[in-house]
Amino acid sequence: MDLKARPASNPDAATADRLQRLERALHQRVRRDIDVSPPLVRAGVLIPLLWRGHGLEMLLTRRTDTVLTHKGQISFPGGQREDADAETIETALRESYEEIGLEPSRVTVLGELDDVFTAVSSFVITPVVGLVEGDIDDLRLAPDEVRSLLVVSVDRLLDEHVHTTEIRSVGDEQYRIHYYSVDDDVIWGATGRIVYQFLKVWEEAA
């Protein structure tokens, strides 16, 4: 897909080239696909990437305290897959429209990352990477789900002072927890794992 031909996104030539390398890397890598059967639930989230003339950025949401799961946390727009969804990409795009008013036609899907399991909600999440066309001033937030938006530059997330980790033990298993501290916000949990995974692929596409 020719990302340079999408005028509303306007990435510079170097970023457009790197986004094309990212797209190739996402399609060529062997993706970890977790088999889902009850009580596990398939879900999809969108990793919206923005280009607004000053570097590539990532769009996240601050969840309200009234949502069913992950109250008040930083997350990507997304949710549970429905029977009408032909694939999980469709889930991520549909949920993004419902949560933040992002029209699916404005998203160029670049690929998918590895599935991520969340023990708290029993979700198996497929992260979908997409480049958003145009600005975000016209997005409409679902008031019962999204309190506000968080936009962070990819370069900032790559800053070693922003990223910390810790090891937690659950039974006999050990898990590495990723934290990204951005001003007063902390990105962690499943979202932290997804951000870490994206940044690794992004760096490989350099």
Side-chain angles (χ1 to χ4, degrees), residues 61-168:
T61 67
R62 299 182 180 95
R63 295 170 67 81
T64 67
D65 293 324
T66 58
V67 289
L68 292 176
T69 59
H70 309 291
K71 300 177 186 294
Q73 293 186 12
I74 306 298
S75 68
F76 290 109
Q80 182 174 336
R81 181 170 174 172
E82 296 182 355
D83 292 340
D85 296 336
E87 54 184 349
T88 314
I89 290 175
E90 188 173 330
T91 302
L93 295 175
R94 173 182 54 76
E95 287 281 346
S96 295
Y97 177 72
E98 293 175 3
E99 289 186 10
I100 63 174
L102 178 60
E103 293 280 356
S105 61
R106 292 179 54 190
V107 180
T108 298
V109 173
L110 304 180
E112 299 166 283
L113 296 172
D114 295 344
D115 286 348
V116 172
F117 170 67
T118 61
V120 173
S121 56
S122 296
F123 282 162
V124 172
I125 302 170
T126 300
V128 178
V129 182
L131 180 65
V132 177
E133 182 178 332
D135 210 338
I136 59 172
D137 293 340
D138 60 344
L139 296 183
R140 305 176 310 278
L141 310 186
D144 56 336
E145 296 185 67
V146 179
R147 177 165 52 90
S148 58
L149 299 176
L150 172 64
V151 178
V152 188
S153 74
V154 171
D155 284 345
R156 187 172 186 185
L157 291 169
L158 286 167
D159 186 336
E160 62 181 13
H161 297 101
V162 168
H163 179 221
T164 58
T165 65
E166 70 172 349
I167 301 297
R168 290 188 183 180

